[in-house]
mmCIF file with all atom_site columns, all heavy atoms in Angstrom:
data_model
loop_
_atom_site.group_PDB
_atom_site.id
_atom_site.type_symbol
_atom_site.label_atom_id
_atom_site.label_alt_id
_atom_site.label_comp_id
_atom_site.label_asym_id
_atom_site.label_entity_id
_atom_site.label_seq_id
_atom_site.pdbx_PDB_ins_code
_atom_site.Cartn_x
_atom_site.Cartn_y
_atom_site.Cartn_z
_atom_site.occupancy
_atom_site.B_iso_or_equiv
_atom_site.pdbx_formal_charge
_atom_site.auth_seq_id
_atom_site.auth_comp_id
_atom_site.auth_asym_id
_atom_site.auth_atom_id
_atom_site.pdbx_PDB_model_num
ATOM 1   N N   . VAL A 1 343 ? 35.742 -25.731 54.391 1.00 0.00 ? 1484 VAL A N   1
ATOM 2   C CA  . VAL A 1 343 ? 35.123 -26.873 53.710 1.00 0.00 ? 1484 VAL A CA  1
ATOM 3   C C   . VAL A 1 343 ? 33.623 -26.862 53.984 1.00 0.00 ? 1484 VAL A C   1
ATOM 4   O O   . VAL A 1 343 ? 33.194 -26.975 55.135 1.00 0.00 ? 1484 VAL A O   1
ATOM 5   C CB  . VAL A 1 343 ? 35.746 -28.202 54.206 1.00 0.00 ? 1484 VAL A CB  1
ATOM 6   C CG1 . VAL A 1 343 ? 35.021 -29.387 53.597 1.00 0.00 ? 1484 VAL A CG1 1
ATOM 7   C CG2 . VAL A 1 343 ? 37.234 -28.258 53.864 1.00 0.00 ? 1484 VAL A CG2 1
ATOM 8   N N   . SER A 1 344 ? 32.838 -26.714 52.917 1.00 0.00 ? 1485 SER A N   1
ATOM 9   C CA  . SER A 1 344 ? 31.380 -26.765 53.038 1.00 0.00 ? 1485 SER A CA  1
ATOM 10  C C   . SER A 1 344 ? 30.895 -28.139 52.604 1.00 0.00 ? 1485 SER A C   1
ATOM 11  O O   . SER A 1 344 ? 31.388 -28.696 51.620 1.00 0.00 ? 1485 SER A O   1
ATOM 12  C CB  . SER A 1 344 ? 30.733 -25.714 52.134 1.00 0.00 ? 1485 SER A CB  1
ATOM 13  O OG  . SER A 1 344 ? 30.426 -24.560 52.861 1.00 0.00 ? 1485 SER A OG  1
ATOM 14  N N   . PHE A 1 345 ? 29.909 -28.663 53.320 1.00 0.00 ? 1486 PHE A N   1
ATOM 15  C CA  . PHE A 1 345 ? 29.412 -29.998 52.975 1.00 0.00 ? 1486 PHE A CA  1
ATOM 16  C C   . PHE A 1 345 ? 27.982 -30.177 53.480 1.00 0.00 ? 1486 PHE A C   1
ATOM 17  O O   . PHE A 1 345 ? 27.498 -29.397 54.306 1.00 0.00 ? 1486 PHE A O   1
ATOM 18  C CB  . PHE A 1 345 ? 30.322 -31.087 53.577 1.00 0.00 ? 1486 PHE A CB  1
ATOM 19  C CG  . PHE A 1 345 ? 30.388 -31.050 55.082 1.00 0.00 ? 1486 PHE A CG  1
ATOM 20  C CD1 . PHE A 1 345 ? 29.518 -31.812 55.857 1.00 0.00 ? 1486 PHE A CD1 1
ATOM 21  C CD2 . PHE A 1 345 ? 31.308 -30.241 55.731 1.00 0.00 ? 1486 PHE A CD2 1
ATOM 22  C CE1 . PHE A 1 345 ? 29.565 -31.767 57.245 1.00 0.00 ? 1486 PHE A CE1 1
ATOM 23  C CE2 . PHE A 1 345 ? 31.361 -30.186 57.122 1.00 0.00 ? 1486 PHE A CE2 1
ATOM 24  C CZ  . PHE A 1 345 ? 30.488 -30.957 57.881 1.00 0.00 ? 1486 PHE A CZ  1
ATOM 25  N N   . ASN A 1 346 ? 27.320 -31.208 52.971 1.00 0.00 ? 1487 ASN A N   1
ATOM 26  C CA  . ASN A 1 346 ? 26.006 -31.595 53.478 1.00 0.00 ? 1487 ASN A CA  1
ATOM 27  C C   . ASN A 1 346 ? 25.961 -33.089 53.724 1.00 0.00 ? 1487 ASN A C   1
ATOM 28  O O   . ASN A 1 346 ? 26.595 -33.861 52.994 1.00 0.00 ? 1487 ASN A O   1
ATOM 29  C CB  . ASN A 1 346 ? 24.901 -31.189 52.488 1.00 0.00 ? 1487 ASN A CB  1
ATOM 30  C CG  . ASN A 1 346 ? 24.344 -29.804 52.825 1.00 0.00 ? 1487 ASN A CG  1
ATOM 31  O OD1 . ASN A 1 346 ? 24.126 -29.493 53.995 1.00 0.00 ? 1487 ASN A OD1 1
ATOM 32  N ND2 . ASN A 1 346 ? 24.144 -28.978 51.812 1.00 0.00 ? 1487 ASN A ND2 1
ATOM 33  N N   . VAL A 1 347 ? 25.237 -33.471 54.754 1.00 0.00 ? 1488 VAL A N   1
ATOM 34  C CA  . VAL A 1 347 ? 24.974 -34.891 55.029 1.00 0.00 ? 1488 VAL A CA  1
ATOM 35  C C   . VAL A 1 347 ? 23.628 -35.205 54.398 1.00 0.00 ? 1488 VAL A C   1
ATOM 36  O O   . VAL A 1 347 ? 22.638 -34.527 54.696 1.00 0.00 ? 1488 VAL A O   1
ATOM 37  C CB  . VAL A 1 347 ? 24.917 -35.152 56.558 1.00 0.00 ? 1488 VAL A CB  1
ATOM 38  C CG1 . VAL A 1 347 ? 24.573 -36.612 56.835 1.00 0.00 ? 1488 VAL A CG1 1
ATOM 39  C CG2 . VAL A 1 347 ? 26.234 -34.753 57.214 1.00 0.00 ? 1488 VAL A CG2 1
ATOM 40  N N   . THR A 1 348 ? 23.615 -36.192 53.518 1.00 0.00 ? 1489 THR A N   1
ATOM 41  C CA  . THR A 1 348 ? 22.393 -36.488 52.755 1.00 0.00 ? 1489 THR A CA  1
ATOM 42  C C   . THR A 1 348 ? 21.188 -36.637 53.688 1.00 0.00 ? 1489 THR A C   1
ATOM 43  O O   . THR A 1 348 ? 21.221 -37.427 54.643 1.00 0.00 ? 1489 THR A O   1
ATOM 44  C CB  . THR A 1 348 ? 22.574 -37.810 51.950 1.00 0.00 ? 1489 THR A CB  1
ATOM 45  O OG1 . THR A 1 348 ? 23.784 -37.697 51.233 1.00 0.00 ? 1489 THR A OG1 1
ATOM 46  C CG2 . THR A 1 348 ? 21.408 -38.042 51.002 1.00 0.00 ? 1489 THR A CG2 1
ATOM 47  N N   . GLY A 1 349 ? 20.162 -35.853 53.399 1.00 0.00 ? 1490 GLY A N   1
ATOM 48  C CA  . GLY A 1 349 ? 18.895 -35.993 54.120 1.00 0.00 ? 1490 GLY A CA  1
ATOM 49  C C   . GLY A 1 349 ? 18.868 -35.367 55.509 1.00 0.00 ? 1490 GLY A C   1
ATOM 50  O O   . GLY A 1 349 ? 17.861 -35.504 56.214 1.00 0.00 ? 1490 GLY A O   1
ATOM 51  N N   . VAL A 1 350 ? 19.930 -34.682 55.935 1.00 0.00 ? 1491 VAL A N   1
ATOM 52  C CA  . VAL A 1 350 ? 19.931 -34.095 57.287 1.00 0.00 ? 1491 VAL A CA  1
ATOM 53  C C   . VAL A 1 350 ? 20.178 -32.589 57.187 1.00 0.00 ? 1491 VAL A C   1
ATOM 54  O O   . VAL A 1 350 ? 21.148 -32.153 56.544 1.00 0.00 ? 1491 VAL A O   1
ATOM 55  C CB  . VAL A 1 350 ? 21.029 -34.724 58.186 1.00 0.00 ? 1491 VAL A CB  1
ATOM 56  C CG1 . VAL A 1 350 ? 20.887 -34.209 59.623 1.00 0.00 ? 1491 VAL A CG1 1
ATOM 57  C CG2 . VAL A 1 350 ? 20.956 -36.243 58.153 1.00 0.00 ? 1491 VAL A CG2 1
ATOM 58  N N   . HIS A 1 351 ? 19.296 -31.808 57.809 1.00 0.00 ? 1492 HIS A N   1
ATOM 59  C CA  . HIS A 1 351 ? 19.461 -30.356 57.760 1.00 0.00 ? 1492 HIS A CA  1
ATOM 60  C C   . HIS A 1 351 ? 20.735 -29.957 58.516 1.00 0.00 ? 1492 HIS A C   1
ATOM 61  O O   . HIS A 1 351 ? 21.015 -30.512 59.596 1.00 0.00 ? 1492 HIS A O   1
ATOM 62  C CB  . HIS A 1 351 ? 18.248 -29.660 58.396 1.00 0.00 ? 1492 HIS A CB  1
ATOM 63  C CG  . HIS A 1 351 ? 18.221 -28.189 58.097 1.00 0.00 ? 1492 HIS A CG  1
ATOM 64  N ND1 . HIS A 1 351 ? 19.032 -27.291 58.765 1.00 0.00 ? 1492 HIS A ND1 1
ATOM 65  C CD2 . HIS A 1 351 ? 17.518 -27.467 57.190 1.00 0.00 ? 1492 HIS A CD2 1
ATOM 66  C CE1 . HIS A 1 351 ? 18.812 -26.064 58.281 1.00 0.00 ? 1492 HIS A CE1 1
ATOM 67  N NE2 . HIS A 1 351 ? 17.899 -26.156 57.329 1.00 0.00 ? 1492 HIS A NE2 1
ATOM 68  N N   . PRO A 1 352 ? 21.497 -28.985 57.970 1.00 0.00 ? 1493 PRO A N   1
ATOM 69  C CA  . PRO A 1 352 ? 22.734 -28.571 58.632 1.00 0.00 ? 1493 PRO A CA  1
ATOM 70  C C   . PRO A 1 352 ? 22.563 -28.182 60.097 1.00 0.00 ? 1493 PRO A C   1
ATOM 71  O O   . PRO A 1 352 ? 23.458 -28.431 60.915 1.00 0.00 ? 1493 PRO A O   1
ATOM 72  C CB  . PRO A 1 352 ? 23.203 -27.373 57.798 1.00 0.00 ? 1493 PRO A CB  1
ATOM 73  C CG  . PRO A 1 352 ? 22.653 -27.638 56.446 1.00 0.00 ? 1493 PRO A CG  1
ATOM 74  C CD  . PRO A 1 352 ? 21.340 -28.342 56.655 1.00 0.00 ? 1493 PRO A CD  1
ATOM 75  N N   . HIS A 1 353 ? 21.429 -27.592 60.456 1.00 0.00 ? 1494 HIS A N   1
ATOM 76  C CA  . HIS A 1 353 ? 21.270 -27.207 61.866 1.00 0.00 ? 1494 HIS A CA  1
ATOM 77  C C   . HIS A 1 353 ? 21.247 -28.443 62.764 1.00 0.00 ? 1494 HIS A C   1
ATOM 78  O O   . HIS A 1 353 ? 21.776 -28.425 63.879 1.00 0.00 ? 1494 HIS A O   1
ATOM 79  C CB  . HIS A 1 353 ? 19.988 -26.378 62.051 1.00 0.00 ? 1494 HIS A CB  1
ATOM 80  C CG  . HIS A 1 353 ? 20.134 -25.000 61.485 1.00 0.00 ? 1494 HIS A CG  1
ATOM 81  N ND1 . HIS A 1 353 ? 19.063 -24.181 61.233 1.00 0.00 ? 1494 HIS A ND1 1
ATOM 82  C CD2 . HIS A 1 353 ? 21.231 -24.298 61.104 1.00 0.00 ? 1494 HIS A CD2 1
ATOM 83  C CE1 . HIS A 1 353 ? 19.496 -23.028 60.727 1.00 0.00 ? 1494 HIS A CE1 1
ATOM 84  N NE2 . HIS A 1 353 ? 20.801 -23.085 60.640 1.00 0.00 ? 1494 HIS A NE2 1
ATOM 85  N N   . ASP A 1 354 ? 20.645 -29.532 62.273 1.00 0.00 ? 1495 ASP A N   1
ATOM 86  C CA  . ASP A 1 354 ? 20.637 -30.777 63.067 1.00 0.00 ? 1495 ASP A CA  1
ATOM 87  C C   . ASP A 1 354 ? 22.044 -31.359 63.156 1.00 0.00 ? 1495 ASP A C   1
ATOM 88  O O   . ASP A 1 354 ? 22.460 -31.873 64.197 1.00 0.00 ? 1495 ASP A O   1
ATOM 89  C CB  . ASP A 1 354 ? 19.673 -31.804 62.442 1.00 0.00 ? 1495 ASP A CB  1
ATOM 90  C CG  . ASP A 1 354 ? 18.227 -31.322 62.510 1.00 0.00 ? 1495 ASP A CG  1
ATOM 91  O OD1 . ASP A 1 354 ? 17.913 -30.555 63.436 1.00 0.00 ? 1495 ASP A OD1 1
ATOM 92  O OD2 . ASP A 1 354 ? 17.430 -31.683 61.626 1.00 0.00 ? 1495 ASP A OD2 1
ATOM 93  N N   . VAL A 1 355 ? 22.789 -31.256 62.046 1.00 0.00 ? 1496 VAL A N   1
ATOM 94  C CA  . VAL A 1 355 ? 24.176 -31.742 62.058 1.00 0.00 ? 1496 VAL A CA  1
ATOM 95  C C   . VAL A 1 355 ? 24.969 -30.978 63.119 1.00 0.00 ? 1496 VAL A C   1
ATOM 96  O O   . VAL A 1 355 ? 25.668 -31.567 63.959 1.00 0.00 ? 1496 VAL A O   1
ATOM 97  C CB  . VAL A 1 355 ? 24.830 -31.558 60.658 1.00 0.00 ? 1496 VAL A CB  1
ATOM 98  C CG1 . VAL A 1 355 ? 26.314 -31.916 60.709 1.00 0.00 ? 1496 VAL A CG1 1
ATOM 99  C CG2 . VAL A 1 355 ? 24.102 -32.398 59.599 1.00 0.00 ? 1496 VAL A CG2 1
ATOM 100 N N   . CYS A 1 356 ? 24.831 -29.657 63.092 1.00 0.00 ? 1497 CYS A N   1
ATOM 101 C CA  . CYS A 1 356 ? 25.593 -28.810 64.037 1.00 0.00 ? 1497 CYS A CA  1
ATOM 102 C C   . CYS A 1 356 ? 25.215 -29.127 65.481 1.00 0.00 ? 1497 CYS A C   1
ATOM 103 O O   . CYS A 1 356 ? 26.081 -29.129 66.363 1.00 0.00 ? 1497 CYS A O   1
ATOM 104 C CB  . CYS A 1 356 ? 25.321 -27.331 63.771 1.00 0.00 ? 1497 CYS A CB  1
ATOM 105 S SG  . CYS A 1 356 ? 25.967 -26.785 62.207 1.00 0.00 ? 1497 CYS A SG  1
ATOM 106 N N   . GLN A 1 357 ? 23.934 -29.373 65.698 1.00 0.00 ? 1498 GLN A N   1
ATOM 107 C CA  . GLN A 1 357 ? 23.470 -29.649 67.062 1.00 0.00 ? 1498 GLN A CA  1
ATOM 108 C C   . GLN A 1 357 ? 24.101 -30.934 67.606 1.00 0.00 ? 1498 GLN A C   1
ATOM 109 O O   . GLN A 1 357 ? 24.619 -30.970 68.728 1.00 0.00 ? 1498 GLN A O   1
ATOM 110 C CB  . GLN A 1 357 ? 21.931 -29.788 67.040 1.00 0.00 ? 1498 GLN A CB  1
ATOM 111 C CG  . GLN A 1 357 ? 21.314 -29.994 68.391 1.00 0.00 ? 1498 GLN A CG  1
ATOM 112 C CD  . GLN A 1 357 ? 21.453 -28.748 69.263 1.00 0.00 ? 1498 GLN A CD  1
ATOM 113 O OE1 . GLN A 1 357 ? 20.805 -27.748 69.020 1.00 0.00 ? 1498 GLN A OE1 1
ATOM 114 N NE2 . GLN A 1 357 ? 22.320 -28.799 70.258 1.00 0.00 ? 1498 GLN A NE2 1
ATOM 115 N N   . ILE A 1 358 ? 24.092 -31.970 66.795 1.00 0.00 ? 1499 ILE A N   1
ATOM 116 C CA  . ILE A 1 358 ? 24.668 -33.253 67.261 1.00 0.00 ? 1499 ILE A CA  1
ATOM 117 C C   . ILE A 1 358 ? 26.178 -33.115 67.456 1.00 0.00 ? 1499 ILE A C   1
ATOM 118 O O   . ILE A 1 358 ? 26.744 -33.602 68.433 1.00 0.00 ? 1499 ILE A O   1
ATOM 119 C CB  . ILE A 1 358 ? 24.303 -34.393 66.286 1.00 0.00 ? 1499 ILE A CB  1
ATOM 120 C CG1 . ILE A 1 358 ? 22.792 -34.626 66.371 1.00 0.00 ? 1499 ILE A CG1 1
ATOM 121 C CG2 . ILE A 1 358 ? 25.088 -35.669 66.598 1.00 0.00 ? 1499 ILE A CG2 1
ATOM 122 C CD1 . ILE A 1 358 ? 22.251 -35.710 65.492 1.00 0.00 ? 1499 ILE A CD1 1
ATOM 123 N N   . LEU A 1 359 ? 26.818 -32.395 66.529 1.00 0.00 ? 1500 LEU A N   1
ATOM 124 C CA  . LEU A 1 359 ? 28.267 -32.191 66.670 1.00 0.00 ? 1500 LEU A CA  1
ATOM 125 C C   . LEU A 1 359 ? 28.584 -31.414 67.944 1.00 0.00 ? 1500 LEU A C   1
ATOM 126 O O   . LEU A 1 359 ? 29.583 -31.675 68.621 1.00 0.00 ? 1500 LEU A O   1
ATOM 127 C CB  . LEU A 1 359 ? 28.830 -31.462 65.451 1.00 0.00 ? 1500 LEU A CB  1
ATOM 128 C CG  . LEU A 1 359 ? 28.886 -32.291 64.162 1.00 0.00 ? 1500 LEU A CG  1
ATOM 129 C CD1 . LEU A 1 359 ? 29.328 -31.410 62.993 1.00 0.00 ? 1500 LEU A CD1 1
ATOM 130 C CD2 . LEU A 1 359 ? 29.842 -33.467 64.291 1.00 0.00 ? 1500 LEU A CD2 1
ATOM 131 N N   . ASP A 1 360 ? 27.717 -30.469 68.280 1.00 0.00 ? 1501 ASP A N   1
ATOM 132 C CA  . ASP A 1 360 ? 27.949 -29.692 69.507 1.00 0.00 ? 1501 ASP A CA  1
ATOM 133 C C   . ASP A 1 360 ? 27.960 -30.611 70.722 1.00 0.00 ? 1501 ASP A C   1
ATOM 134 O O   . ASP A 1 360 ? 28.787 -30.457 71.625 1.00 0.00 ? 1501 ASP A O   1
ATOM 135 C CB  . ASP A 1 360 ? 26.865 -28.616 69.646 1.00 0.00 ? 1501 ASP A CB  1
ATOM 136 C CG  . ASP A 1 360 ? 27.039 -27.818 70.932 1.00 0.00 ? 1501 ASP A CG  1
ATOM 137 O OD1 . ASP A 1 360 ? 28.156 -27.324 71.163 1.00 0.00 ? 1501 ASP A OD1 1
ATOM 138 O OD2 . ASP A 1 360 ? 26.083 -27.718 71.720 1.00 0.00 ? 1501 ASP A OD2 1
ATOM 139 N N   . TRP A 1 361 ? 27.054 -31.596 70.746 1.00 0.00 ? 1502 TRP A N   1
ATOM 140 C CA  . TRP A 1 361 ? 27.043 -32.545 71.877 1.00 0.00 ? 1502 TRP A CA  1
ATOM 141 C C   . TRP A 1 361 ? 28.368 -33.303 71.958 1.00 0.00 ? 1502 TRP A C   1
ATOM 142 O O   . TRP A 1 361 ? 28.764 -33.766 73.018 1.00 0.00 ? 1502 TRP A O   1
ATOM 143 C CB  . TRP A 1 361 ? 25.880 -33.537 71.727 1.00 0.00 ? 1502 TRP A CB  1
ATOM 144 C CG  . TRP A 1 361 ? 24.525 -32.881 71.819 1.00 0.00 ? 1502 TRP A CG  1
ATOM 145 C CD1 . TRP A 1 361 ? 24.225 -31.730 72.482 1.00 0.00 ? 1502 TRP A CD1 1
ATOM 146 C CD2 . TRP A 1 361 ? 23.305 -33.322 71.227 1.00 0.00 ? 1502 TRP A CD2 1
ATOM 147 N NE1 . TRP A 1 361 ? 22.892 -31.420 72.332 1.00 0.00 ? 1502 TRP A NE1 1
ATOM 148 C CE2 . TRP A 1 361 ? 22.293 -32.392 71.569 1.00 0.00 ? 1502 TRP A CE2 1
ATOM 149 C CE3 . TRP A 1 361 ? 22.933 -34.408 70.436 1.00 0.00 ? 1502 TRP A CE3 1
ATOM 150 C CZ2 . TRP A 1 361 ? 20.975 -32.508 71.160 1.00 0.00 ? 1502 TRP A CZ2 1
ATOM 151 C CZ3 . TRP A 1 361 ? 21.609 -34.543 70.026 1.00 0.00 ? 1502 TRP A CZ3 1
ATOM 152 C CH2 . TRP A 1 361 ? 20.650 -33.593 70.383 1.00 0.00 ? 1502 TRP A CH2 1
ATOM 153 N N   . GLU A 1 362 ? 29.047 -33.414 70.804 1.00 0.00 ? 1503 GLU A N   1
ATOM 154 C CA  . GLU A 1 362 ? 30.340 -34.116 70.771 1.00 0.00 ? 1503 GLU A CA  1
ATOM 155 C C   . GLU A 1 362 ? 31.510 -33.151 71.001 1.00 0.00 ? 1503 GLU A C   1
ATOM 156 O O   . GLU A 1 362 ? 32.674 -33.536 70.856 1.00 0.00 ? 1503 GLU A O   1
ATOM 157 C CB  . GLU A 1 362 ? 30.522 -34.809 69.410 1.00 0.00 ? 1503 GLU A CB  1
ATOM 158 C CG  . GLU A 1 362 ? 29.456 -35.846 69.078 1.00 0.00 ? 1503 GLU A CG  1
ATOM 159 C CD  . GLU A 1 362 ? 29.407 -36.966 70.115 1.00 0.00 ? 1503 GLU A CD  1
ATOM 160 O OE1 . GLU A 1 362 ? 30.490 -37.434 70.497 1.00 0.00 ? 1503 GLU A OE1 1
ATOM 161 O OE2 . GLU A 1 362 ? 28.290 -37.321 70.566 1.00 0.00 ? 1503 GLU A OE2 1
ATOM 162 N N   . GLY A 1 363 ? 31.195 -31.884 71.262 1.00 0.00 ? 1504 GLY A N   1
ATOM 163 C CA  . GLY A 1 363 ? 32.256 -30.899 71.506 1.00 0.00 ? 1504 GLY A CA  1
ATOM 164 C C   . GLY A 1 363 ? 32.913 -30.398 70.232 1.00 0.00 ? 1504 GLY A C   1
ATOM 165 O O   . GLY A 1 363 ? 34.055 -29.929 70.256 1.00 0.00 ? 1504 GLY A O   1
#
Side-chain angles (χ1 to χ4, degrees):
V1484 175
S1485 263
F1486 61 92
N1487 268 318
V1488 177
T1489 309
V1491 187
H1492 193 282
H1494 287 164
D1495 295 332
V1496 174
C1497 293
Q1498 183 68 71
I1499 293 180
L1500 289 174
D1501 178 52
W1502 295 333
E1503 300 301 316

